Amino acid sequence: IANINRAKMTEFREITSGLQFPEGPIAMPDGSIILVEIERQTLTRVHPDGRQEVIAKTGGGPNGAALGPDGKVYICNNGGFKWGVDDGLNHPIAPSDDYVSGRIERVDLETGAVEVLYSECNGHPLSGPNDIVFDGNGNFWFTDLGKAWERELVHGAIYYARADGSLIVEAMHPLAKPNGIGLSPDDKRLYAAETDAGRLVAWDIVGEGQLSRQPWPAIEFGDLIMAPEGNVRFDSLALEANGNICVATLLTGGITVASPEGGVVEFIPLPDIMTTNICFGGPDLKTAYITLSGAGRLIAMDWPRPGLPLHFLNK
C-alpha cells in the first residue's frame, strides 16, 4: 500500500445533507452535482451552496446516472426497494412491494421528462440496473445487480446498449451482484466491482457489446484486479486519469484505490459504512465528490491525482 498522509486524505467538506440515499453523482460544468436519491425516487441537482433541486421524479429506484451525448441523463433504475434504519444509517433491505422489473431511463434536464429506454433484453426483464458508463461512441455499458428476496436470487449481468434505443446486448451473465462499472482511459477494457465478493474484475472489449471470456469453467469470471482481505463489499467506482480504479467500499466505509496492473494502491477511510459512489470534478478534476448514503450526505475532498475525463462531460 502506498505511503500516504491519511490525516490529510480523510479531510473533507460537506456540501449537503438530508438526502434520501444518494448515489450516482455527476459533477456538472457549472459546479453543481446531479445525483439520484434512491429512496426519494428522484434525480436531484445539488448546487454548490448545498441547495437541493428536484429535476425529475422517476419512481422505482434510480440507482446510477451518467450524462449522455445528447445532454440528457441516463439512469439505471433498479425498480425500487424497501428501506430500514440501523445504527442511524439508512439502507435498502428488500425489493419494494410494487417491484415489477428494472429499467434504463433517459431524463431531459430542461423539462424533467422521463422516458424508458430499455426494460428487457431478448425477452428477459432487467432485474436491478445499478451503474452506467458511456464509451467514446456515445453508447453505454451498465451493470444489473440482479435481485435478492429472502430465499430467492436472480443473477446479475453486464449489458451494452446503444443510446438511441436500437440495441441492447447481454454481454456477461451470470454474475454475482455486479455493481460499479467503468472504462479504461483507452476504452478498451471494462471494469466491474462485485458487491458481495468484494472483487474488482476486468474484461477486454473485443467487439460491440462483446467482452473477452476465460476458458470453461471460469467463462464469466474476468481478470481479477483486486480482492482485499477482510469483510468488505464493493459499490460504485470511478477512474483516475492514470488508470487507477477508485471503488467505493462498504462495511469498512471509504474508497479503495486499485492499480490497473492489479492490487491495492491505497485505502481512504470515510465515516459512513455506506460509502457508495465517487466522481471527479472541479479544477483539473482533482476534487472527489463522494456519496455517504447511509447518512444522506454529499461530501467533497481534494484528491491527490486527477480523475479520468468522462466522455461528453469533462472534455
Side-chain angles (χ1 to χ4, degrees):
I1 296 180
N3 182 22
I4 60 170
N5 185 333
R6 287 179 177 270
K8 181 178 180 181
M9 287 301 299
T10 52
E11 292 177 356
F12 62 85
R13 53 196 178 275
E14 181 180 282
I15 299 175
T16 196
S17 61
L19 298 167
Q20 296 179 37
F21 214 86
E23 290 209 37
I26 305 169
M28 300 296 287
D30 65 359
S32 68
I33 304 296
I34 291 177
L35 49 74
V36 298
E37 294 183 75
I38 303 181
E39 185 179 16
R40 194 180 184 191
Q41 303 178 326
T42 62
L43 182 68
T44 303
R45 186 188 299 271
V46 178
H47 294 269
D49 62 1
R51 179 169 54 91
Q52 301 170 18
E53 173 192 359
V54 172
I55 297 171
K57 182 81 172 179
T58 64
N63 208 137
L67 190 72
D70 53 4
K72 296 181 179 181
V73 168
Y74 289 69
I75 291 177
C76 290
N77 194 310
N78 62 44
F81 287 131
K82 293 179 181 177
W83 296 87
V85 178
D86 286 283
D87 297 327
L89 298 177
N90 200 20
H91 61 94
I93 56 175
S96 61
D97 290 336
D98 60 357
Y99 169 81
V100 176
S101 71
R103 53 192 184 264
I104 300 297
E105 298 170 323
R106 180 164 53 198
V107 178
D108 188 312
L109 295 178
E110 298 297 325
T111 66
V114 181
E115 60 178 314
V116 175
L117 197 61
Y118 298 104
S119 59
E120 62 175 39
C121 178
N122 296 329
H124 299 288
L126 300 179
S127 296
N130 188 282
D131 199 13
I132 178 172
V133 63
F134 274 90
D135 64 23
N137 294 320
N139 300 308
F140 58 91
W141 298 84
F142 70 95
T143 52
D144 189 319
L145 190 74
K147 220 64 179 177
W149 285 266
E150 185 176 357
R151 296 188 180 276
E152 289 183 71
L153 175 67
V154 176
H155 290 299
I158 291 175
Y159 292 91
Y160 168 89
R162 292 179 183 164
D164 63 4
S166 65
L167 176 73
I168 181 170
V169 175
E170 185 181 84
M172 196 63 63
H173 176 274
L175 293 173
K177 294 188 177 181
N179 194 317
I181 194 167
L183 287 164
S184 61
D186 61 6
D187 270 8
K188 293 182 178 180
R189 200 151 164 81
L190 187 76
Y191 297 100
E194 296 177 328
T195 297
D196 288 356
R199 292 169 17 115
L200 177 66
V201 293
W203 299 265
D204 291 332
I205 298 171
V206 296
E208 186 179 25
Q210 295 181 316
L211 299 174
S212 58
R213 291 179 178 268
Q214 301 278 11
W216 185 88
I219 295 173
E220 76 281 0
F221 280 9
D223 298 325
L224 179 63
I225 302 300
M226 69 166 175
E229 294 181 0
N231 192 17
V232 301
R233 303 175 80 204
F234 283 156
D235 206 290
S236 188
L237 62 84
L239 270 77
E240 297 177 352
N242 62 11
N244 285 346
I245 309 100
C246 305
V247 187
T249 306
L250 310 175
L251 300 185
T252 54
I255 305 295
T256 306
V257 182
S259 165
E261 282 75 41
V264 175
V265 174
E266 60 190 12
F267 175 72
I268 313 301
L270 289 166
D272 190 331
I273 62 171
M274 302 300 287
T275 299
T276 57
N277 285 241
I278 178 173
C279 73
F280 294 103
D284 302 320
L285 296 179
K286 291 184 73 173
T287 301
Y289 296 94
I290 299 169
T291 50
L292 305 183
S293 299
R297 306 166 74 191
L298 173 67
I299 65 169
M301 60 186 299
D302 297 332
W303 204 255
R305 300 167 297 272
L308 178 68
L310 296 176
H311 298 299
F312 318 112
L313 178 60
N314 301 126
K315 297 294 187 183

